[in-house]
Amino acid sequence: MIKTAIQKYLQTTGQKRMDVRTAMFDMDGVLYDSMRNHASCWHRTMEHFGFTFPEWEAYMHEGRTGAGTINIVSMRERGHLATDEECEAMYHYKSKLFEQCPEAKPMPGAYELLKKVKGVGVTPVIVTGSGQKVLLQRLQRSFPGIFRQELMVTAYDVKKGKPDAEPYLMGLEKGGRFLNADGGRLQPWQSVVIENAPLGVQAGVAAGVFTIAVNTGPLPDEVLYQAGANILYPSMQALADGWEELLDSLKSVVSD
Ligand code: CA
């Protein structure tokens, strides 16, 4: 199953084998159990402004900008886009609700996996659409000794968010700047992506990187496979438990 997934990936890239040097982690829903809060706040905001938006739908839009999500719903329910003022008012309302939520906890299994990844010499990189200013401090508090500022891609680094390939291409660039003597960008087969959301999976696949889905939310596995996931684990704990076996295969499987 794992070997078949890697074989299939190698065939699409035309590579003989992978050479994994970094692992690019999404943050919300992967490293932090934060999607519940986001989903509930989006649901309450949309209802407040007269739109229908069940919590599960927030998971379908995870990774999109606030305005992007609002406009999709506005088109669907009113047949026209939201004005900038409406977008701003709704995003502000949602942010206020979010501030009142309890701080999300690290995802079970996440720190164990990060330590295993780093322990075998694979460099963890953060690739998130989040624009929180104190992100690094928070990551260092939750996952001591794992992350560094120059190995983070956030909302401030990219023009186009997920599902565009740009955030993960930027992750390959920052990884290469850090690891390669000449500072050149890493190739897609020199990394893996860990994502929980359909749009995030699409972004990893669009960047040409082997994309590992962890289904930490309420959507069916099928949605993540349809987005292009190369392989899927039911939780971060399951990925942490299966890391050695996965890494063995990533190192050893050769395209035939
Ligand atoms: Ca996510």
Side-chain angles (χ1 to χ4, degrees):
M1 166 81 179
I2 295 178
K3 292 195 163 75
T4 314
I6 298 169
Q7 285 274 6
K8 226 165 137 191
Y9 170 79
L10 289 171
Q11 276 159 19
T12 60
T13 58
Q15 281 304 300
K16 189 89 188 136
R17 67 192 320 152
M18 291 178 71
D19 166 31
V20 178
R21 301 181 65 199
T22 65
M24 298 191 281
F25 289 87
D26 170 50
M27 196 176 73
D28 286 304
V30 169
L31 296 182
Y32 289 101
D33 193 5
S34 42
M35 273 312 294
R36 247 181 277 265
N37 288 349
H38 283 293
S40 146
C41 292
W42 270 120
H43 165 69
R44 286 153 65 198
T45 301
M46 293 284 191
E47 299 268 294
H48 180 81
F49 284 86
F51 295 112
T52 306
F53 192 83
E55 286 193 19
W56 66 262
E57 200 184 339
Y59 292 85
M60 293 299 294
H61 294 288
E62 185 187 341
R64 225 184 269 293
T65 62
T69 305
I70 291 164
N71 274 321
I72 286 171
V73 176
S74 177
M75 280 303 285
R76 178 180 73 204
E77 306 216 341
R78 306 189 299 189
H80 61 82
L81 297 174
T83 64
D84 288 350
E85 289 74 25
E86 283 176 318
C87 284
E88 210 168 293
M90 290 177 76
Y91 194 68
H92 181 75
Y93 189 90
K94 189 252 170 182
S95 303
K96 285 278 161 218
L97 287 179
F98 193 73
E99 281 168 20
Q100 291 158 23
C101 289
E103 194 179 58
K105 295 204 164 49
M107 192 67 83
Y111 193 33
E112 186 185 336
L113 174 63
L114 289 166
K115 283 188 286 191
K116 283 185 178 185
V117 165
K118 200 156 182 172
V120 293
V122 174
T123 302
V125 176
I126 288 277
V127 179
T128 178
S130 173
Q132 299 170 56
K133 293 228 160 55
V134 292
L135 217 54
L136 184 63
Q137 290 91 310
R138 187 169 167 222
L139 285 163
Q140 279 167 341
R141 219 168 48 231
S142 309
F143 311 107
I146 302 291
F147 295 108
R148 344 174 28 125
Q149 186 74 58
E150 61 267 48
L151 290 168
M152 291 175 57
V153 177
T154 71
Y156 302 109
D157 294 298
V158 293
K159 288 193 194 70
K160 293 180 222 146
K162 301 168 187 177
D164 195 89
E166 190 188 4
Y168 282 111
L169 292 175
M170 181 68 78
L172 293 173
E173 197 169 313
K174 290 200 176 192
R177 221 179 282 158
F178 185 73
L179 291 174
N180 285 335
D182 66 357
R185 176 150 114 184
L186 292 177
Q187 298 299 321
W189 52 89
Q190 293 184 303
S191 191
V192 291
V193 162
I194 297 99
E195 266 288 354
N196 71 303
L199 297 179
V201 167
Q202 280 180 38
V205 171
V209 182
F210 186 87
T211 300
I212 302 161
V214 281
N215 195 358
T216 60
L219 300 176
D221 290 350
E222 211 37 50
V223 175
L224 294 165
Y225 280 123
Q226 274 162 13
N230 294 95
I231 195 165
L232 182 142
Y233 289 81
S235 65
M236 282 296 275
Q237 188 61 59
L239 178 55
D241 295 342
W243 168 250
E244 288 83 2
E245 189 191 2
L246 175 61
L247 184 70
D248 264 0
S249 301
L250 288 169
K251 280 182 174 168
S252 63
V253 172
V254 176
S255 163
D256 48 22

